[in-house]
Amino acid sequence: MSKKASASPKVVNRLVVIGLGLIGSSLAVAARQRGFANQVIGISRRQSTLEIALKNGIVDRCAESLGQIAAELGEGDIVVIAVPTLSVPSVLEESVSQLSPNVTITDVASVKDSVVKAAQSLFGEMPPQLVPGHPIAGSEKSGVTAANGDLFTNHRVILTPVEATAVGHLKRATDLWEATGALVSIMSVLEHDQILAATSHLPHFLAYSLVDTLAGMSDKTDIFRYAAGGFRDFTRIAASDPVMWRDIALANKDSIIEVMDRIMENFKAMRCAIESGDRQYLMDLFTRARDARNHFGKILESKTPDTGIHSPMTEKVIDYIVSPGGSACGDIRVPGDKSMSHRSIMLGSLAEGMTEVTGFLEGEDSLATLQAFRDMGVDIEGPNEGRVVIHGVGLHGLQTPSKPLYLGNSGTSMRLLSGLMAGQTFDVELRGDASLSGRPMGRVATPLREMGAVIETDADGTPPLRIKGGQKLSSINYLMPMASAQVKSCVLLAGLYAEGETSTVEPAPTRDHTERMLRGFGYQVNSDGSKASLSGGGSLMATRIDVPADISSAAFFMVAAAIVPGSDITLRHVGVNPTRIGVINILRQMGTHIELSNHIEVGGEPVADIRVRYAPLKGIVIPEDQVPLAIDEFPVLFVAAACAQGTTLLTGAEELRVKESDRIQSMADGLVTLGIDAQATVDGIRIQGGQLGSGEVASFDDHRIAMAFTIAALRANGKIRVKETNNVATSFPDFISLAQQIGIGIEIAAAEAQ
Ligand code: S3P
């Protein structure tokens, strides 16, 4: 063993590994190198394997069968069945019958349904001690000589407990895998098998099939000699272990056949298109696939900055470590406005003709909207350095998506789309990630139902949203109970499909990008004070859209300059729509020097350069009319308040509790951790300015919380570790490089296992 055992806590007493192939022996050697088991015992029928395992320090002890050691094992011990998939049932039978129910049993087979079914048929029900598992790690090398103690580091391990699985055993299996450095996910058996069939099994079978087909072309024996990089990349996995893949093919039959049928259909259609010279079909297919690949690739790259691992199963969780004493100086342009980027895709898709968008935000949220419209058959080129070309299909040209539309973390995508989907002829389901799945959707479902839409939510009004197509929508005059641009936009967008005039009346002014952009697409929208209205039945004409920089992203650097003495920063070409400039108004009231220059109007939206210079800040009572105008900027404004002299009081901001996280509580918790007196109230917060300390703060899977605490570190008296910051990519993909460029000392570190 080359690495020394570290002083890791012991998460298991004895670790027994049955089967010392690549996975089993790598787990054993990880346990020895990291020191998380008191003893590592290897079991293999092959004497030669056991000898190598002992000689190479992979195990402490060996046995030829479980029977030799079963009586010794009890509470705290874990047996890992690491034999080929089809051999699992016989080993399982032997294990359950010989072991005490206190011993945890888990397996590593790549298919989970066959393991669960085998256990049920052997024992009548799933033994509570059995935790089905699957590490998503591997290599083309196999056997005990390929053992690698780092094989699981930052890779996913999926556990698929069933109802009968005991909590204690699940915890032991989770602890075991986390101690190897793996990231553990829990999911259902069916979900696991379907996902793996599509993302792992099918690619292997395609690679095997391609190599086999070419190798069988006897008239072209030496074609491999001319094979280029593409062939090598594509077929690398055809060098994997045939026994393992035979077993997987048979064990995951149903899910694999389902996805094989789909790919054969796609392939057949491609063949026809080639035969008949259908250039358009081929162009559409290749463009769609290339863009989808780029989309996934970008997300993966931004989430795995230094691993080079390209698999959603190996997404690496990252923290930021930010040093105090940095500055905010320079001249920069932050990425495009998120709200306008979403709307540009939606309206461009529904317009007639080709819309060109520049300055588009390539963040995960707006990319989710883009992908949703591709899923509904819209041909969208890019994004390529912020340029997107949308081949609009008209208000009635969307096609039925073949699966639920997945909108990730993006509330704007879901709420605005719900309005548009209510007017379609087809059924659709809208889904999101864990955070979005907990956010209120009743606020859009209620007015849409009043218009005649048929929408189902979960019992508590949260996603998924199931929207039934083919409903006749009637117009309404909706008095909005809360100041929300998403609700207003949802109703107005549904109004495009309703008969008569649809209007909204808002309790306070909210961002009006929907109204302005609709006008840019030639659609008449009337705004009269708090009322906005439009009539259904018109059409949108394609246009050009230049998305300005997002003031919500600029806000982080505005506050950075506002809190660090000597700072002087200019933010270029920022959208300064009057419904978005609460952050400017509030910071000015607190004492910051802010100047706007180079005012222009772009596509109906005011744009300017913003220069921010440091001046001492004082606490203020934030006027309630500023709340909707600064709604997304409060996390970082709370940081300004923490650095101000005196108390800052916010009221009338209960909406902050239903954002990507409960932003009042998330910020109060973090500020208190850093030594600031911050008291959350029902509808706001009271913050007493003081000295920010160092420490670790959670980001609650919320991009704006993560970035706000990064800025806070500038004025802290030591480093701040902001935990789990991957989510920053939803709205601000270049945040780190821009932060570094203006003088913030920020490093990325792998998150510590929980
Ligand atoms: C948005 C409206 C706001 C804002 C969100 C984007 C929009 O949400 O917080 O980030 O693009 O319409 P609410 O409508 O819920 O206030």
Side-chain angles (χ1 to χ4, degrees):
M1 264 197 321
S2 55
K3 292 186 187 169
K4 276 204 221 125
S6 68
S8 289
K10 308 289 177 201
V11 298
V12 293
N13 181 25
R14 268 165 293 209
L15 166 65
V16 181
V17 182
I18 306 180
L20 293 172
L22 173 73
I23 298 289
S25 60
S26 296
L27 174 60
V29 84
R32 294 211 67 213
Q33 286 171 351
R34 291 173 178 245
F36 57 74
N38 281 322
Q39 193 178 46
V40 181
I41 307 172
I43 298 183
S44 169
R45 291 214 167 95
R46 283 203 204 155
Q47 195 54 42
S48 56
T49 301
L50 295 178
E51 278 163 18
I52 296 171
L54 275 176
K55 187 169 125 254
N56 291 357
I58 290 167
V59 295
D60 296 302
R61 271 173 71 189
C62 281
E64 277 179 33
S65 72
L66 185 62
Q68 291 174 2
I69 55 156
E72 292 173 36
L73 304 178
E75 178 72 36
D77 297 332
I78 185 162
V79 171
V80 180
I81 302 174
V83 299
T85 303
L86 291 189
S87 311
V88 173
S90 61
V91 180
L92 194 57
E93 184 171 20
E94 195 190 350
S95 307
V96 175
S97 59
Q98 298 185 35
L99 292 169
S100 137
N102 294 334
V103 177
T104 306
I105 305 174
T106 185
D107 74 309
V108 300
S110 313
V111 181
K112 303 298 2 135
D113 187 50
S114 61
V115 172
V116 171
K117 290 234 172 76
Q120 281 164 342
S121 86
L122 285 168
F123 312 112
E125 57 186 355
M126 269 286 279
Q129 71 195 122
L130 175 59
V131 184
H134 176 207
I136 317 279
S139 138
E140 290 71 59
K141 296 192 201 126
S142 51
V144 67
T145 49
N148 168 10
D150 293 324
L151 188 68
F152 309 107
T153 311
N154 287 321
H155 282 239
R156 292 266 174 206
V157 172
I158 301 177
L159 299 179
T160 62
V162 297
E163 226 180 305
T165 312
V167 176
H169 289 300
L170 174 60
K171 175 156 187 340
R172 182 151 304 117
T174 307
D175 291 347
L176 170 82
W177 284 113
E178 284 185 342
T180 66
L183 308 161
V184 175
S185 304
I186 309 272
M187 62 175 73
S188 75
V189 169
L190 181 66
E191 198 180 354
H192 169 276
D193 286 2
Q194 286 176 338
I195 290 176
L196 269 289
T199 58
S200 164
H201 307 168
L202 182 68
H204 278 83
F205 301 147
L206 284 171
Y208 280 124
S209 172
L210 175 64
V211 176
D212 187 47
T213 309
L214 297 195
M217 289 164 53
S218 53
D219 49 328
K220 301 203 171 66
T221 40
D222 59 355
I223 51 172
F224 289 116
R225 211 171 290 168
Y226 305 102
F231 178 81
R232 261 197 301 277
D233 287 350
F234 187 79
T235 58
R236 179 180 55 81
I237 49 182
S240 310
D241 180 6
V243 174
M244 177 171 134
W245 286 101
R246 176 205 61 195
D247 285 7
I248 290 173
L250 299 177
N252 200 17
K253 192 164 117 190
D254 293 346
S255 299
I256 289 169
I257 287 181
E258 196 181 315
V259 46
M260 268 186 160
D261 284 347
R262 276 176 173 245
I263 201 134
M264 288 200 286
E265 242 171 62
N266 187 292
F267 211 59
K268 249 195 246 156
M270 195 192 299
R271 184 190 182 285
C272 279
I274 293 173
E275 196 172 36
S276 64
D278 187 342
R279 299 161 65 94
Q280 189 56 42
Y281 181 92
L282 294 173
M283 195 57 204
D284 287 354
L285 188 150
F286 296 154
T287 309
R288 239 181 7 248
R290 182 207 55 191
D291 292 343
R293 175 66 185 83
N294 286 344
H295 170 63
F296 295 130
K298 271 199 188 112
I299 288 176
L300 296 174
E301 274 153 29
S302 65
K303 286 190 164 175
T304 56
D306 53 7
T307 58
I309 298 165
H310 295 271
S311 157
M313 294 299 176
T314 55
E315 174 195 318
K316 191 174 161 190
V317 182
I318 55 167
D319 295 347
Y320 292 164
I321 300 177
V322 198
S323 301
S327 67
C329 288
D331 190 324
I332 54 169
R333 178 168 172 166
V334 298
D337 187 276
K338 185 151 75 76
S339 293
M340 293 185 219
S341 295
H342 283 299
R343 288 159 170 85
S344 69
I345 297 293
M346 294 180 186
L347 301 188
S349 296
L350 296 172
E352 278 157 32
M354 193 180 88
T355 291
E356 183 187 1
V357 183
T358 47
F360 178 80
L361 169 67
E362 297 184 38
E364 287 175 15
D365 275 13
S366 34
L367 289 172
T369 293
L370 187 149
Q371 189 60 40
F373 281 88
R374 278 199 183 126
D375 290 346
M376 291 186 284
V378 183
D379 189 3
I380 304 176
E381 296 170 45
N384 203 341
E385 293 181 356
R387 181 173 178 271
V388 178
V389 176
I390 309 162
H391 299 266
V393 295
L395 274 170
H396 301 281
L398 295 176
Q399 290 162 23
T400 318
S402 61
K403 55 182 191 304
L405 299 177
Y406 179 70
L407 304 170
N409 193 248
S410 177
T412 308
S413 311
M414 188 169 284
R415 295 201 177 118
L416 271 57
L417 262 175
S418 65
L420 288 175
M421 294 300 101
Q424 305 304 317
T425 50
F426 49 82
D427 296 354
V428 71
E429 183 174 326
L430 308 181
R431 298 187 153 267
D433 69 4
S435 151
L436 183 54
S437 299
R439 296 183 65 187
M441 292 298 146
R443 56 181 56 200
V444 286
T446 303
L448 291 175
R449 284 181 189 134
E450 266 183 51
M451 295 177 80
V454 177
I455 301 191
E456 255 178 60
T457 63
D458 267 5
D460 55 354
T462 55
L465 293 184
R466 290 182 201 87
I467 304 175
K468 204 154 176 41
Q471 309 302 312
K472 195 165 169 326
L473 298 186
S474 43
S475 53
I476 52 169
N477 175 22
Y478 190 57
L479 301 182
M480 292 160 47
M482 73 284 289
S484 163
Q486 293 177 353
V487 174
K488 171 174 67 175
S489 304
C490 162
V491 173
L492 291 175
L493 293 176
L496 296 174
Y497 294 91
E499 222 172 77
E501 187 187 90
T502 297
S503 56
T504 55
V505 178
E506 53 190 5
T510 66
R511 64 191 70 190
D512 59 357
H513 305 303
T514 303
E515 298 92 299
R516 288 176 189 248
M517 205 179 280
L518 276 168
R519 288 185 200 112
F521 277 90
Y523 208 98
Q524 193 186 336
V525 183
N526 298 319
S527 297
D528 180 10
S530 57
K531 183 170 174 176
S533 52
L534 55 75
S535 296
S539 57
L540 302 175
M541 297 324 293
T543 184
R544 271 171 174 271
I545 297 174
D546 175 22
V547 178
D550 195 333
I551 193 166
S552 299
S553 298
F556 295 101
F557 300 139
M558 292 170 67
V559 170
I563 63 173
V564 180
S567 294
D568 184 349
I569 193 169
T570 300
L571 297 144
R572 297 282 175 200
H573 200 72
V574 183
V576 288
N577 180 314
T579 59
R580 296 286 298 279
I581 55 169
V583 61
I584 297 178
N585 301 338
I586 293 169
L587 281 178
R588 272 186 176 149
Q589 208 180 326
M590 292 176 82
T592 308
H593 290 307
I594 303 182
E595 289 155 45
L596 267 57
S597 59
N598 293 331
H599 287 273
I600 46 169
E601 195 170 295
V602 181
E605 290 278 355
V607 173
D609 295 340
I610 304 177
R611 180 174 179 198
V612 185
R613 279 172 301 153
Y614 172 81
L617 290 173
K618 59 178 192 303
I620 58 165
V621 175
I622 298 174
E624 285 197 6
D625 63 1
Q626 294 299 309
V627 170
L629 314 186
I631 191 72
D632 291 337
E633 288 67 75
F634 281 110
V636 79
L637 282 170
F638 295 169
V639 171
C643 297
Q645 178 112 47
T647 308
T648 296
L649 179 67
L650 173 69
T651 54
E654 56 280 353
E655 276 294 303
L656 289 179
R657 291 204 179 267
V658 289
K659 294 291 175 189
E660 285 84 328
S661 71
D662 173 346
R663 286 185 173 159
I664 293 176
Q665 204 54 52
S666 307
M667 285 305 297
D669 287 355
L671 287 173
V672 168
T673 303
L674 299 175
I676 295 293
D677 177 3
Q679 291 158 22
T681 62
V682 184
D683 65 342
I685 195 166
R686 175 190 297 273
I687 298 171
Q688 179 67 42
Q691 174 59 54
L692 281 155
S694 63
E696 287 192 2
V697 286
S699 60
F700 298 90
D701 211 10
D702 183 333
H703 51 138
R704 300 206 196 275
I705 303 295
M707 290 186 276
F709 282 118
T710 303
I711 300 304
L714 289 169
R715 279 286 297 268
N717 60 13
K719 288 189 177 185
I720 292 182
R721 185 175 190 119
V722 189
K723 296 173 76 175
E724 300 183 5
T725 53
N726 300 56
N727 216 309
V728 166
T730 59
S731 68
F732 202 156
D734 297 332
F735 178 65
I736 294 176
S737 58
L738 280 177
Q740 286 168 338
Q741 194 181 320
I742 62 159
I744 299 178
I746 177 169
E747 294 161 47
I748 299 172
E752 288 152 359
Q754 295 297 299

